[in-house]
Amino acid sequence: MIGALLLLLFLPFFLYIAAPQIRKMLSSGVCTSTVQLSGKVAMVTGANTGIGKETAKDLAQRGARVYLACRDIQKGKSVAREIQTLTGNQEVLVRQLDLADTKSIRGFAKDFLAGHFLLTHLLLEKLKESAPSRIVNVSSLAHHLGRIHFHNLQGEKFYNAGLAYCHSKLANILFTQELARRLKGSGVTTYSVHPGTVNSELVRHSTFIKWMWWLFSFFIKTPEQGAQTSLYCAITEGLEILSGHHFSDCSVAWVSAQARNETIARRLWDVSCDLLGIPMN
């Protein structure tokens, strides 16, 4: 008991000593592209905070017209004004979007005439017309713990919040790979990314995880650092041949065996189409 208490007391000290080396290792990926995006349109979901906000800010700085797709429209407008002031780009616009609400997604896509399955599907024709276009899906290293349970796909039989997160991140990667196969030759490419462990609002609902985040703060990336791989996949020239790949720290990253299973990816695509009432072809 005393040993455990001493370890807890001295752990922050040891983390502080090791922090410079470990922090450098964990935040080494940086998007160094100087590409300008004048005349381009970018859509960023969850753009009112964290990684999404930093991604939108960088894209606006490069001259793109940026749509902030946010659930909370007032927070989105506040962030839009902030980005406009910082970048001088007035083409930073806000659109209402709740990715948990299919009606919201359909309304957003209709109003806009990228993102999750239905949103991406509804915008595909526009993306093809605007080719070359790119879709970047934010996944996580947590996908290694994920599994696709088709008999419990929506957690209707049993549910665990932590595992559900892992399952969803695996689904992001499988979706990205299947989408890349289906879009081959269309001029639209797609990538999934692991942003790293980032100090964002993801942990706002858990006091325990907030405490852990504080304890290990030396190891955790800032939202700006977390956005680097998303930006890398969105704007780096010559990345088209790597469509469907998974990235971390601005480099191609290894994925789990489950994430490389084409049979599961195809079945998940078909089941998703069936659930949403959209064509499977």
Side-chain angles (χ1 to χ4, degrees):
M1 179 68 180
I2 295 176
L5 182 59
L6 288 173
L7 178 62
L8 185 61
L9 288 172
F10 283 99
L11 184 57
F13 172 74
F14 289 120
L15 293 179
Y16 178 79
I17 296 299
Q21 292 77 22
I22 297 174
R23 193 178 184 86
K24 182 179 179 181
M25 177 183 71
L26 294 178
S27 61
S28 59
V30 177
C31 178
T32 58
S33 174
T34 58
V35 167
Q36 294 300 303
L37 301 174
S38 180
K40 298 289 186 179
V41 176
M43 188 184 305
V44 184
T45 59
N48 64 298
T49 187
I51 298 171
K53 177 181 176 181
E54 293 300 326
T55 301
K57 186 193 302 181
D58 188 284
L59 296 172
Q61 185 71 55
R62 296 170 186 271
R65 173 185 291 177
V66 182
Y67 286 88
L68 311 183
C70 305
R71 182 173 53 190
D72 189 322
I73 198 73
Q74 294 306 317
K75 287 184 179 179
K77 288 180 178 179
S78 176
V79 170
R81 288 192 294 270
E82 179 185 337
I83 294 176
Q84 288 170 349
T85 300
L86 286 171
T87 65
N89 183 349
Q90 300 304 304
E91 291 293 290
V92 181
L93 311 170
V94 183
R95 293 292 183 270
Q96 170 78 36
L97 174 63
D98 182 354
L99 286 170
D101 183 349
T102 56
K103 289 183 179 179
S104 175
I105 294 171
R106 292 182 188 279
F108 176 92
K110 182 179 179 181
D111 181 59
F112 181 76
L113 290 197
H116 292 226
F117 190 92
L118 178 59
L119 177 63
T120 304
H121 174 83
L122 293 172
L123 294 177
L124 272 183
E125 290 308 313
K126 193 64 178 178
L127 288 166
K128 290 176 182 177
E129 290 173 12
S130 306
S133 305
R134 295 186 183 184
I135 301 166
V136 181
N137 295 312
V138 178
S139 181
S140 170
L141 187 66
H143 84 272
H144 283 275
L145 298 177
R147 296 292 184 273
I148 302 299
H149 301 292
F150 287 102
H151 65 287
N152 187 50
L153 197 59
Q154 301 184 80
E156 59 269 33
K157 294 183 179 179
F158 56 88
Y159 179 81
N160 176 279
L163 287 177
Y165 177 80
C166 299
H167 301 334
S168 70
K169 294 308 173 182
L170 172 60
N172 289 152
I173 293 177
L174 291 168
F175 166 59
T176 299
Q177 293 179 350
E178 182 63 17
L179 184 61
R181 284 190 283 270
R182 291 170 180 264
L183 291 175
K184 190 173 183 179
S186 70
V188 183
T189 53
T190 180
Y191 315 88
S192 61
V193 304
H194 167 58
T197 304
V198 180
N199 184 16
S200 69
E201 291 190 10
L202 179 66
V203 301
R204 64 185 178 273
H205 300 300
S206 172
T207 302
F208 173 73
I209 298 180
K210 283 181 181 178
W211 182 82
M212 291 296 291
W213 247 234
W214 174 82
L215 184 63
F216 294 99
S217 60
F218 294 113
F219 301 90
I220 296 174
K221 293 182 179 182
T222 65
E224 183 179 2
Q225 291 170 329
Q228 295 304 303
T229 305
S230 296
L231 290 166
Y232 177 85
C233 289
I235 64 178
T236 300
E237 296 175 311
L239 216 60
E240 290 78 10
I241 60 172
L242 295 176
S243 181
H245 281 67
H246 183 65
F247 287 77
S248 177
D249 281 329
C250 300
S251 300
V252 174
W254 183 255
V255 295
S256 69
Q258 286 278 315
R260 301 192 303 273
N261 192 314
E262 292 186 19
T263 301
I264 293 177
R266 290 193 179 97
R267 184 180 176 190
L268 182 62
W269 180 283
D270 289 343
V271 170
S272 300
C273 286
D274 184 59
L275 288 170
L276 294 167
I278 57 181
M280 294 187 187
N281 55 3

